[in-house]
Amino acid sequence: MRLLVLGGTHFLGRHVVGAALDRGHEVATFTRGVSGAPPAGVRALHGDRDDPAALPAALEGWLPETVVDTSCQTRAAARNAAAVLSGVRGYAFVSSLNAYANWPPGPIGPEDGEPTWETDDDEYGPVKAYAEREIGAAVPGRFLTARAGLIAGPDDRVDRLGWWLRRVARGGRVVVPAEGWDQPIAAVDVRDLAGWLVAMAEQGVSGAVNATGPTGMTTLGGLLDLCREATGGDAEWAPVPEADLLAAGVEPWAHLPLWLPAEVARTAWDVDTTRARELGLPSRPLERTVADTWAWLQGVEELPPPPHGLSHPGLPADLESALLAGR
């Protein structure tokens, strides 16, 4: 099929392109052209998704049959995609659990029983919820919205798992959240998600899907143990009580990636993925994801900036030293 990837030059989009090529599709990417080129053999189209004239001009009569949308970040981008791509046979849209009005803290049950945001502001979750409605109305019965959770694996510029891997590899005493050690973690490997999105677009599957790993697949402590195994480091865990972390100004999720305060973590990782499993979303062993991410990092001299204006995650060295002092 002719498959258009909105995005397609880094992380999830790049893996979607690879999966589509492996399945024999004729692939085009549509990007601003500032984050690298797609693989050889891909039609590279450029333009600003917020400009209503950009996508039709870039396509120049090349009509996609299927779409995987990894890059919708604004209401204008959603409207423009809906206006141009309404005739496709299948459209797989990468949304987020943040589209749910009650997440976090959740929990999140079956997709059709949970409300999504309906506000008009430009925050991430409401924009994703708006895009689901806008594009879904234009592609009725052929639009799948994948409400993704934590995505991990090679090529990850957001760098949450990557930061932990590098910090653990340096060894020594590593600050970890005492109460958060046993908090559940669920992740989906970027390669599993990418291949599945292409398959869903091919089949024209519709509806919402909580596209993340199964509940209870591991804990934060279990993930960090995997990081130590993958890197071969001699890191020593230094548990710090949650109250002390917060008092010192440690920002959950940002300074200690993947850590959430206990009150939120109790339910935020409790997400029903029954439909994802029924539709064949794979869940490869987490140790493979961790090991492959570490292998990829070995060849990266300097990570590019995180996408979408995000900040680099990680605990500042001075804050780490202060927390370790006297422990």
Side-chain angles (χ1 to χ4, degrees):
M1 296 182 185
R2 294 183 301 277
L3 187 146
L4 173 65
V5 182
L6 297 174
T9 53
H10 60 80
F11 198 37
L12 177 57
R14 178 168 287 276
H15 285 285
V16 167
V17 169
L21 291 173
D22 288 345
R23 296 168 76 95
H25 297 307
E26 179 184 345
V27 181
T29 58
F30 181 67
T31 70
R32 291 176 299 161
V34 299
S35 59
V42 173
R43 184 187 298 255
L45 311 177
H46 299 302
D48 184 346
R49 289 194 61 174
D50 289 349
D51 177 358
L55 182 55
L59 290 172
E60 291 185 315
W62 187 85
L63 299 178
E65 297 169 273
T66 53
V67 175
V68 178
D69 187 343
T70 70
S71 66
C72 187
Q73 299 291 321
T74 66
R75 294 172 186 268
R79 289 192 296 269
N80 296 336
V84 176
L85 300 170
S86 61
V88 298
R89 293 164 51 178
Y91 194 124
F93 176 75
V94 180
S95 185
S96 168
L97 295 178
N98 291 96
Y100 288 117
N102 61 343
W103 189 91
I108 297 298
E111 294 84 353
D112 57 1
E114 300 288 346
T116 56
W117 289 103
E118 295 187 2
T119 57
D120 294 330
D121 62 84
D122 289 326
E123 295 296 320
Y124 180 70
V127 167
K128 286 295 189 183
Y130 172 86
E132 292 181 5
R133 295 190 296 272
E134 185 76 10
I135 306 173
V139 194
R142 294 159 283 139
F143 177 78
L144 178 129
T145 178
R147 293 176 183 150
L150 174 62
I151 307 172
D155 303 303
D156 182 7
R157 290 170 51 191
V158 178
D159 197 36
R160 296 184 181 108
L161 175 58
W163 181 85
W164 276 116
L165 282 163
R166 292 194 305 278
R167 176 61 193 91
V168 170
R170 290 204 309 270
R173 300 171 67 217
V174 178
V175 170
V176 297
E179 294 89 341
W181 188 254
D182 293 328
Q183 77 165 47
I185 290 281
V188 61
D189 188 288
V190 65
R191 296 161 293 185
D192 291 338
L193 181 59
W196 178 80
L197 287 167
V198 173
M200 294 298 98
E202 290 171 353
Q203 299 167 33
V205 176
S206 64
V209 185
N210 295 329
T212 188
T215 300
M217 65 186 299
T218 191
T219 62
L220 179 58
L223 178 61
L224 296 184
D225 283 340
L226 290 176
C227 290
R228 186 162 58 182
E229 292 174 15
T231 61
D234 61 354
E236 175 188 350
W237 310 132
V240 178
E242 179 178 298
D244 293 350
L245 292 173
L246 296 175
V250 175
E251 298 179 18
W253 200 261
H255 286 155
L256 289 179
L258 313 183
W259 167 59
L260 294 170
E263 186 175 353
V264 177
R266 282 187 301 106
T267 52
W269 297 98
D270 186 1
V271 177
D272 187 317
T273 62
T274 301
R275 187 165 194 240
R277 310 278 83 83
E278 291 173 348
L279 289 172
L281 176 61
S283 181
R284 74 183 64 195
L286 189 58
E287 54 264 30
R288 286 176 52 193
T289 301
V290 172
D292 291 349
T293 303
W294 178 240
W296 164 71
L297 282 170
Q298 304 315 290
V300 177
E301 294 184 4
E302 182 178 358
L303 280 173
H308 315 311
L310 296 172
S311 300
H312 284 288
L315 190 63
D318 57 345
L319 188 50
E320 181 183 51
S321 297
L323 289 164
L324 290 174
R327 293 185 184 277

